[in-house]
Amino acid sequence: MNSSAPVLRTVLGDLVPDAVRGPALAHEHLVLDLDHRGDGAAVLDAGRHTAAVTAELAALREEYGLALVVELTCRGMGRDVRALARISRDAQVAVVAATGWYYEPFHTPEIDRGSVEELTATLVREIDDGIDATGIRPGVLGEIGSHGDTPTPSESKVLRAAARAAGATGLSVSTHAQLGRGGLAQLELLTAEGLPPHRIAIGHQDLLDDPAVHRELAASGAYVAFDTVGKDGYQSDDTRLRLLLALLEAGHADRALLSCDISRHGYLTSEGGQGYGHLFGSFLPKARAAGVDEDLIDLMTRRNPLRFLTGASVEEI
């Protein structure tokens, strides 16, 4: 991954960025299990829900040209890369798989007993050799999590390991900032380990109604993820759009990432939810009506995700 030409690593093999002609979803889940309550809600099951997920992605490819999904289900989140490969093949949409650890309530026992060096080695081994003996290699570190304004000691350990693994392998890091909080602290930890800001995307910033924080993150060179579009229970899309427009008006369109973060089966369109296509069918039309032109939309939904994943410069993509 440290070659001079940018390369995009997907579950079906490497792609050159030029092969991605349509938009990308920068933060999604296609298969996961976060069911700590036992009610089965925070689940996208590889058996029960794969057909519906595949059908949604295929329909979005047909209607909007969807070309890529960055799938940020990592260790301890019910990751299943074999299922991701089937979905990608059947939907004819490229999928990038992830490695890393989510925020502390979902940490696996290896985090408590392992040092930063040992955790780094675990991540590098997965990146180099593949996940769970599948030969499928992750193309991003994420969603590396923390909650609150500052990461806990355990979360700090994971963030540091992710940064070191990213530096060793050339991958980028996408974070989970719970309810949008703690992004600046995440950025400080990651960059302190030597990771350049342009290899970092700070997650869930559309849940934080603080344009000054968004500007500070973007000015550093990090990507600012507005990645829970359509989750009205957390934030209205009207507020998301206001925050996004403020970031664009501040001159940081080249730092914005957009997605829907579908993380339970009730969000699927087959179950009456907003679905993966809410960004394209609802939010982006509102952005266009507010004056966002097609070049900016292509920038945020295609070029920015590709640059983030590959570390490419503006001139390269």
Side-chain angles (χ1 to χ4, degrees):
M1 289 295 293
N2 284 318
S3 62
S4 57
V7 174
L8 187 71
R9 181 179 292 168
T10 82
V11 296
L12 298 181
D14 287 353
L15 288 178
V16 295
D18 284 350
V20 179
R21 300 298 179 89
L25 290 167
H27 181 139
E28 296 299 341
H29 303 280
L30 307 179
V31 180
L32 91 167
D33 186 350
L34 300 179
D35 185 22
H36 276 193
R37 296 182 180 179
D39 60 7
V43 170
L44 288 163
D45 183 79
R48 289 179 294 144
H49 304 123
T50 293
V53 169
T54 303
E56 278 203 37
L57 298 187
L60 294 175
R61 173 179 54 79
E62 288 288 337
E63 186 171 1
Y64 299 106
L66 176 66
L68 174 69
V69 174
V70 183
E71 213 279 0
L72 292 179
T73 306
C74 58
R75 301 168 69 91
M77 296 177 74
R79 183 182 58 181
D80 184 339
V81 294
R82 291 182 179 88
L84 297 186
R86 292 194 299 271
I87 291 168
S88 178
R89 187 176 295 110
D90 293 346
Q92 298 178 50
V93 173
V95 174
V96 173
T99 188
W101 291 274
Y102 196 30
Y103 75 116
E104 189 164 4
F106 298 90
H107 280 182
T108 52
E110 63 200 325
I111 295 171
D112 284 337
R113 61 176 179 256
S115 66
V116 172
E117 291 77 13
E118 289 167 332
L119 296 180
T120 302
T122 296
L123 297 177
V124 170
R125 188 163 51 248
E126 242 182 23
I127 293 164
D128 287 344
D129 299 337
I131 297 167
D132 299 334
T134 63
I136 296 172
R137 300 163 71 194
V140 68
L141 288 134
E143 57 180 297
I144 311 301
S146 72
H147 66 297
D149 292 328
T150 57
T152 67
S154 182
E155 291 166 347
S156 296
K157 187 192 294 189
V158 166
L159 283 158
R160 292 174 62 200
R164 293 185 186 185
T169 63
L171 295 189
S172 296
V173 174
S174 183
T175 78
H176 166 92
Q178 181 80 352
L179 300 178
R181 295 172 57 195
L184 290 170
Q186 289 181 341
L187 180 64
E188 183 178 0
L189 266 173
L190 293 166
T191 55
E193 295 294 333
L195 188 62
H198 74 280
R199 302 307 301 246
I200 300 166
I202 302 298
H204 309 326
Q205 290 308 290
D206 51 334
L207 301 180
L208 181 72
D209 194 345
D210 193 337
V213 169
H214 301 158
R215 290 194 301 271
E216 186 171 351
L217 291 169
S220 78
Y223 288 90
V224 182
F226 284 62
D227 54 14
T228 67
V229 173
K231 289 187 170 181
D232 290 340
Y234 293 95
Q235 185 81 279
S236 73
D237 276 356
D238 287 343
T239 299
R240 287 187 179 91
L241 182 57
R242 171 174 56 80
L243 294 170
L244 179 62
L245 292 174
L247 188 65
L248 302 184
E249 289 163 4
H252 297 303
D254 61 343
R255 298 295 99 184
L257 298 173
L258 303 176
S259 209
C260 297
D261 189 23
I262 299 302
S263 54
R264 51 182 60 208
H265 60 85
Y267 290 143
L268 298 174
T269 57
S270 60
E271 299 193 15
Q274 69 271 32
Y276 299 98
H278 181 86
L279 174 68
F280 306 116
S282 179
F283 188 77
L284 290 179
K286 292 179 181 178
R288 290 184 180 98
V292 179
D293 65 27
E294 295 304 318
D295 184 66
L296 279 180
I297 287 173
D298 180 73
L299 178 66
M300 293 187 290
T301 63
R302 187 181 66 87
R303 283 145 38 214
N304 284 351
L306 294 175
R307 290 170 184 159
F308 162 66
L309 288 168
T310 63
S313 66
V314 172
E315 293 76 18
E316 290 174 293
I317 297 177

